[in-house]
Amino acid sequence: SQQGEEDPQALSIQEGENATMNCSYKTSINNLQWYRQNSGRGLVHLILIRSNEREKHSGRLRVTLDTSKKSSSLLITASRAADTASYFCATDAMNTGFQKLVFGTGTRLLVSP
Amino acid sequence: AAGVIQSPRHLIKEKRETATLKCYPIPRHDTVYWYQQGPGQDPQFLISFYEKMQSDKGSIPDRFSAQQFSDYHSELNMSSLELGDSALYFCASSFGVGRSYNEQFFGPGTRLTVL
C-alpha cells in the first residue's frame, strides 16, 4: 500500500487565501519532502523537513511534521494563481541506506484570480 | 544552477519496440533514482544507483534494465514495450546515499507514449 495519503485530493481557493494540504504516512522516516508539479510537468522540490524537526518555513511555505501522528502539513500563505499545481509529499524510510522516495497521492490545488 | 537533464523529453514508440531514456544528474551528485508516473498517478520508484552500483530496486518490470556510467549519467532501457508503459519517467539525483539529509532533485521527465 502507498506510504503517503494526502488530503484533500483537490482544493479550490481564491487568490490571497491560504491553502493547507495534509499528508499522512505509515512507517518511520528520515525526512519528508514536498514537491510541486504543474500539469504533466516536472517535480519541483519545495522543502525538506527532517524527522527531528517540527516546523520549517520557506518564503510563503510553512511545513509542519508530527512524527507521533505520522503526518505533515503544507501551508501556502497568500496564494497566487501561479500556485495552481499538484502538491506531493514524499518520504524516505528510516534505517535504510538507500533513500528511495515514496510519494503520497497528491493534492490538486486550483487558485482562482 | 545546473539541474538534472533528461533526454529525450518526448518519445513515441510502437508496442514491442525498445526505448532508452537518459539522465544526467546534477554535477557532484553520485546517486540517481528513476521513477515512473502514470496518468493521474503519483510517482513510483523503479530503481536507483549509487556510485555506478544498483542500490535499490522497486517495482521495475523485468523488461526494464538500467545502469549508471562512470560519468554518473544513467540510462533506463525498456524492451518489449507495452501500452501500459506509457507514462512520465523521472530521474532524480542526490548527493550521498545513507546520509540523513537526502534532497532529491528531479529532472523534467521523459514522456513516453506507446502506441
Side-chain angles (χ1 to χ4, degrees), chain A residues 2 30-31 33 35 37 40-43 45 48 50 56 88 92 96-101 103-106, chain B residues 33 35 37 41-45 55-56 88 90 96-108 111:
Chain A
Q2 286 175 327
N30 285 319
N31 308 291
Q33 305 182 54
Y35 289 86
Q37 184 178 37
R41 309 286 291 275
L43 290 156
H45 187 272
L48 179 150
R50 299 186 193 190
K56 204 160 182 181
F88 293 91
D92 57 356
T96 64
F98 308 106
Q99 290 138 329
K100 66 185 179 188
L101 294 180
F103 284 81
T105 50
Chain B
Y33 308 79
Y35 294 84
Q37 186 180 30
Q41 307 285 315
D42 53 285
Q44 296 287 318
F45 171 74
S55 54
D56 202 356
L88 262 174
F90 289 107
V97 167
R99 297 171 71 219
S100 62
Y101 191 77
N102 173 39
E103 277 183 302
Q104 290 186 25
F105 295 91
F106 281 74
R111 182 174 294 282

Side-chain angles (χ1 to χ4, degrees), chain B residues 65-77:
Chain B
S65 64
Q67 56 182 325
Q68 186 180 32
F69 295 85
S70 57
D71 64 351
Y72 294 100
H73 95 271
S74 178
E75 295 184 3
L76 177 66
N77 300 295

